[in-house]
mmCIF file with all atom_site columns, all heavy atoms in Angstrom:
data_model
loop_
_atom_site.group_PDB
_atom_site.id
_atom_site.type_symbol
_atom_site.label_atom_id
_atom_site.label_alt_id
_atom_site.label_comp_id
_atom_site.label_asym_id
_atom_site.label_entity_id
_atom_site.label_seq_id
_atom_site.pdbx_PDB_ins_code
_atom_site.Cartn_x
_atom_site.Cartn_y
_atom_site.Cartn_z
_atom_site.occupancy
_atom_site.B_iso_or_equiv
_atom_site.pdbx_formal_charge
_atom_site.auth_seq_id
_atom_site.auth_comp_id
_atom_site.auth_asym_id
_atom_site.auth_atom_id
_atom_site.pdbx_PDB_model_num
ATOM 1  N N   . VAL X 1 6  ? 53.259 -6.604  4.456  1.00 0.00 ? 83 VAL X N   1
ATOM 2  C CA  . VAL X 1 6  ? 52.696 -7.942  4.238  1.00 0.00 ? 83 VAL X CA  1
ATOM 3  C C   . VAL X 1 6  ? 51.255 -7.894  4.718  1.00 0.00 ? 83 VAL X C   1
ATOM 4  O O   . VAL X 1 6  ? 50.968 -7.663  5.889  1.00 0.00 ? 83 VAL X O   1
ATOM 5  C CB  . VAL X 1 6  ? 53.492 -9.020  4.981  1.00 0.00 ? 83 VAL X CB  1
ATOM 6  C CG1 . VAL X 1 6  ? 52.956 -10.418 4.621  1.00 0.00 ? 83 VAL X CG1 1
ATOM 7  C CG2 . VAL X 1 6  ? 54.985 -8.915  4.643  1.00 0.00 ? 83 VAL X CG2 1
ATOM 8  N N   . TYR X 1 7  ? 50.378 -8.091  3.761  1.00 0.00 ? 84 TYR X N   1
ATOM 9  C CA  . TYR X 1 7  ? 48.971 -7.760  3.969  1.00 0.00 ? 84 TYR X CA  1
ATOM 10 C C   . TYR X 1 7  ? 48.081 -8.992  3.768  1.00 0.00 ? 84 TYR X C   1
ATOM 11 O O   . TYR X 1 7  ? 48.233 -9.722  2.761  1.00 0.00 ? 84 TYR X O   1
ATOM 12 C CB  . TYR X 1 7  ? 48.551 -6.661  2.946  1.00 0.00 ? 84 TYR X CB  1
ATOM 13 C CG  . TYR X 1 7  ? 47.105 -6.436  2.804  1.00 0.00 ? 84 TYR X CG  1
ATOM 14 C CD1 . TYR X 1 7  ? 46.380 -5.676  3.727  1.00 0.00 ? 84 TYR X CD1 1
ATOM 15 C CD2 . TYR X 1 7  ? 46.433 -6.928  1.687  1.00 0.00 ? 84 TYR X CD2 1
ATOM 16 C CE1 . TYR X 1 7  ? 45.030 -5.460  3.560  1.00 0.00 ? 84 TYR X CE1 1
ATOM 17 C CE2 . TYR X 1 7  ? 45.066 -6.704  1.518  1.00 0.00 ? 84 TYR X CE2 1
ATOM 18 C CZ  . TYR X 1 7  ? 44.368 -5.974  2.466  1.00 0.00 ? 84 TYR X CZ  1
ATOM 19 O OH  . TYR X 1 7  ? 43.046 -5.746  2.274  1.00 0.00 ? 84 TYR X OH  1
ATOM 20 N N   . ALA X 1 8  ? 47.226 -9.276  4.726  1.00 0.00 ? 85 ALA X N   1
ATOM 21 C CA  . ALA X 1 8  ? 46.424 -10.523 4.687  1.00 0.00 ? 85 ALA X CA  1
ATOM 22 C C   . ALA X 1 8  ? 44.946 -10.187 4.900  1.00 0.00 ? 85 ALA X C   1
ATOM 23 O O   . ALA X 1 8  ? 44.441 -10.200 6.066  1.00 0.00 ? 85 ALA X O   1
ATOM 24 C CB  . ALA X 1 8  ? 46.929 -11.529 5.704  1.00 0.00 ? 85 ALA X CB  1
ATOM 25 N N   . HIS X 1 9  ? 44.242 -9.899  3.843  1.00 0.00 ? 86 HIS X N   1
ATOM 26 C CA  . HIS X 1 9  ? 42.760 -9.764  3.916  1.00 0.00 ? 86 HIS X CA  1
ATOM 27 C C   . HIS X 1 9  ? 42.225 -10.202 2.543  1.00 0.00 ? 86 HIS X C   1
ATOM 28 O O   . HIS X 1 9  ? 42.782 -9.761  1.525  1.00 0.00 ? 86 HIS X O   1
ATOM 29 C CB  . HIS X 1 9  ? 42.296 -8.380  4.270  1.00 0.00 ? 86 HIS X CB  1
ATOM 30 C CG  . HIS X 1 9  ? 40.823 -8.358  4.665  1.00 0.00 ? 86 HIS X CG  1
ATOM 31 N ND1 . HIS X 1 9  ? 39.784 -8.530  3.797  1.00 0.00 ? 86 HIS X ND1 1
ATOM 32 C CD2 . HIS X 1 9  ? 40.252 -8.179  5.908  1.00 0.00 ? 86 HIS X CD2 1
ATOM 33 C CE1 . HIS X 1 9  ? 38.646 -8.455  4.429  1.00 0.00 ? 86 HIS X CE1 1
ATOM 34 N NE2 . HIS X 1 9  ? 38.887 -8.241  5.720  1.00 0.00 ? 86 HIS X NE2 1
ATOM 35 N N   . PRO X 1 10 ? 41.159 -10.973 2.524  1.00 0.00 ? 87 PRO X N   1
ATOM 36 C CA  . PRO X 1 10 ? 40.700 -11.474 1.197  1.00 0.00 ? 87 PRO X CA  1
ATOM 37 C C   . PRO X 1 10 ? 39.951 -10.497 0.360  1.00 0.00 ? 87 PRO X C   1
ATOM 38 O O   . PRO X 1 10 ? 39.724 -10.739 -0.828 1.00 0.00 ? 87 PRO X O   1
ATOM 39 C CB  . PRO X 1 10 ? 39.789 -12.667 1.586  1.00 0.00 ? 87 PRO X CB  1
ATOM 40 C CG  . PRO X 1 10 ? 39.341 -12.381 2.984  1.00 0.00 ? 87 PRO X CG  1
ATOM 41 C CD  . PRO X 1 10 ? 40.476 -11.616 3.628  1.00 0.00 ? 87 PRO X CD  1
ATOM 42 N N   . GLU X 1 11 ? 39.527 -9.359  0.931  1.00 0.00 ? 88 GLU X N   1
ATOM 43 C CA  . GLU X 1 11 ? 38.611 -8.459  0.181  1.00 0.00 ? 88 GLU X CA  1
ATOM 44 C C   . GLU X 1 11 ? 39.226 -7.059  0.086  1.00 0.00 ? 88 GLU X C   1
ATOM 45 O O   . GLU X 1 11 ? 39.394 -6.362  1.094  1.00 0.00 ? 88 GLU X O   1
ATOM 46 C CB  . GLU X 1 11 ? 37.258 -8.370  0.922  1.00 0.00 ? 88 GLU X CB  1
ATOM 47 C CG  . GLU X 1 11 ? 36.302 -7.363  0.378  1.00 0.00 ? 88 GLU X CG  1
ATOM 48 C CD  . GLU X 1 11 ? 36.065 -7.498  -1.122 1.00 0.00 ? 88 GLU X CD  1
ATOM 49 O OE1 . GLU X 1 11 ? 35.558 -8.512  -1.598 1.00 0.00 ? 88 GLU X OE1 1
ATOM 50 O OE2 . GLU X 1 11 ? 36.431 -6.547  -1.854 1.00 0.00 ? 88 GLU X OE2 1
ATOM 51 N N   . PRO X 1 12 ? 39.553 -6.605  -1.129 1.00 0.00 ? 89 PRO X N   1
ATOM 52 C CA  . PRO X 1 12 ? 40.158 -5.289  -1.271 1.00 0.00 ? 89 PRO X CA  1
ATOM 53 C C   . PRO X 1 12 ? 39.246 -4.146  -0.820 1.00 0.00 ? 89 PRO X C   1
ATOM 54 O O   . PRO X 1 12 ? 39.738 -3.084  -0.441 1.00 0.00 ? 89 PRO X O   1
ATOM 55 C CB  . PRO X 1 12 ? 40.449 -5.175  -2.807 1.00 0.00 ? 89 PRO X CB  1
ATOM 56 C CG  . PRO X 1 12 ? 40.193 -6.500  -3.367 1.00 0.00 ? 89 PRO X CG  1
ATOM 57 C CD  . PRO X 1 12 ? 39.459 -7.362  -2.383 1.00 0.00 ? 89 PRO X CD  1
ATOM 58 N N   . ARG X 1 13 ? 37.906 -4.339  -0.896 1.00 0.00 ? 90 ARG X N   1
ATOM 59 C CA  . ARG X 1 13 ? 36.981 -3.256  -0.511 1.00 0.00 ? 90 ARG X CA  1
ATOM 60 C C   . ARG X 1 13 ? 36.653 -3.293  0.971  1.00 0.00 ? 90 ARG X C   1
ATOM 61 O O   . ARG X 1 13 ? 35.690 -2.665  1.414  1.00 0.00 ? 90 ARG X O   1
ATOM 62 C CB  . ARG X 1 13 ? 35.727 -3.343  -1.321 1.00 0.00 ? 90 ARG X CB  1
ATOM 63 C CG  . ARG X 1 13 ? 35.922 -3.044  -2.815 1.00 0.00 ? 90 ARG X CG  1
ATOM 64 C CD  . ARG X 1 13 ? 34.829 -3.612  -3.661 1.00 0.00 ? 90 ARG X CD  1
ATOM 65 N NE  . ARG X 1 13 ? 34.802 -5.074  -3.615 1.00 0.00 ? 90 ARG X NE  1
ATOM 66 C CZ  . ARG X 1 13 ? 33.903 -5.836  -4.214 1.00 0.00 ? 90 ARG X CZ  1
ATOM 67 N NH1 . ARG X 1 13 ? 32.925 -5.295  -4.885 1.00 0.00 ? 90 ARG X NH1 1
ATOM 68 N NH2 . ARG X 1 13 ? 33.964 -7.151  -4.094 1.00 0.00 ? 90 ARG X NH2 1
#
Side-chain angles (χ1 to χ4, degrees):
V83 185
Y84 165 80
H86 195 289
E88 173 53 63
R90 292 160 295 177

